[in-house]
Amino acid sequence: MKSKKDNPELVTEFQNPLQNISPIYISNRSNAEEILSEIELKLKNQDDWSVRSEGIQLALSALKGGITQNSSTDYSSFCIEIANCVTDLRSALVKSGSLLIAASAQIFQEKYGTSIKVLIPSLFKQLTHGTAIISNSCRLALLEIARNVPITKTYYLFNSKIQSKNNQHRLMLAEMINILLETWPSTIISTLKDSLNSSLQTLIDD
């Protein structure tokens, strides 16, 4: 199920969020901790949005350079700051923050479950934004979470929108369930069977 607003170039960018990123290679654990501290410091800058943008780019470069090989980080220590970026008014900041979420979901996978409780609601807030690049970026980031973080918490956070009167929210949930049924492990799907059946019936009746 695809939205009519899908932009092929943007879809490709979110499917490969690190493709055009220059890597920063991390040599050891100490170096990794220094990079993480710098990322967090930049993301917490409330006075200059361009500094926060630099923080996002640094986080992406560290992922591209393999920071996970020298650190147990899952980027959860600054997930609130990332959530603030994707709910910002500046489309460039929203897009780059959404790309970081997509990349993080792909690399951390189930470990990213520590961040999604904060990030998923923030992304949902922007689905109805009048600026296409903002709404589409947040939508595509949500799809990458659905594809790459196959845990029950992911499903329930999406499914919390089942009673929403917002059409975009319900469409997003339908897309997520479609991905879940096609790609998630059957052991997880079986534990969600009753809730899935109920949600599907609600969406069908809608």
Side-chain angles (χ1 to χ4, degrees):
M1 186 186 300
K2 283 195 172 184
S3 165
K4 291 179 182 177
K5 294 181 180 178
D6 274 344
N7 175 320
E9 290 182 6
L10 193 65
V11 169
T12 300
E13 195 172 354
F14 272 82
Q15 288 173 345
N16 304 281
L18 298 177
Q19 187 171 5
N20 298 316
I21 299 295
S22 299
I24 291 177
Y25 294 108
I26 290 95
S27 55
N28 53 51
R29 182 173 291 273
S30 176
N31 186 205
E33 293 305 316
E34 288 174 9
I35 295 290
L36 289 167
S37 295
E38 187 177 353
I39 292 169
E40 194 163 350
L41 189 65
K42 286 180 179 292
L43 288 174
K44 286 184 174 178
N45 187 306
Q46 295 300 311
D47 299 323
D48 188 345
W49 73 272
S50 66
V51 175
R52 280 179 283 158
S53 181
E54 289 172 8
I56 291 171
Q57 295 306 313
L58 185 59
L60 286 164
S61 292
L63 285 178
K64 181 77 171 275
I67 192 170
T68 54
Q69 295 172 16
N70 285 291
S71 172
S72 60
T73 185
D74 56 12
Y75 278 13
S76 59
S77 62
F78 42 78
C79 66
I80 292 173
E81 285 71 33
I82 297 299
N84 289 338
C85 287
V86 299
T87 52
D88 198 84
L89 298 173
R90 299 169 184 85
S91 58
L93 198 61
V94 174
K95 181 187 174 184
S96 58
S98 297
L99 283 166
L100 176 56
I101 291 171
S104 299
Q106 291 173 11
I107 288 173
F108 298 127
Q109 300 188 342
E110 286 87 348
K111 282 178 64 180
Y112 208 45
T114 52
S115 296
I116 59 174
K117 186 176 180 180
V118 173
L119 298 174
I120 288 176
S122 296
L123 292 166
F124 261 95
K125 284 179 184 177
Q126 297 282 54
L127 291 180
T128 54
H129 198 284
T131 303
I133 189 65
I134 288 178
S135 57
N136 289 342
S137 292
C138 289
R139 175 179 168 273
L140 291 169
L142 283 166
L143 290 177
E144 289 307 308
I145 291 174
R147 291 187 185 103
N148 294 284
V149 193
I151 58 176
T152 55
K153 183 194 284 188
T154 302
Y155 167 72
Y156 285 116
L157 284 165
F158 275 82
N159 198 55
S160 67
K161 302 298 181 182
I162 189 64
Q163 300 299 334
S164 173
K165 298 185 186 303
N166 188 295
N167 185 54
Q168 292 302 317
H169 288 180
R170 293 193 302 275
L171 178 61
M172 187 73 253
L173 173 58
E175 289 188 276
M176 186 273 174
I177 290 175
N178 187 45
I179 290 169
L180 181 158
L181 293 174
E182 288 184 354
T183 66
W184 282 29
S186 57
T187 50
I188 296 177
I189 294 174
S190 63
T191 66
L192 300 170
K193 185 177 178 182
D194 290 343
S195 179
L196 279 167
N197 287 338
S198 174
S199 293
L200 285 168
Q201 192 59 53
T202 300
L203 291 167
I204 290 168
D205 293 342
D206 195 17

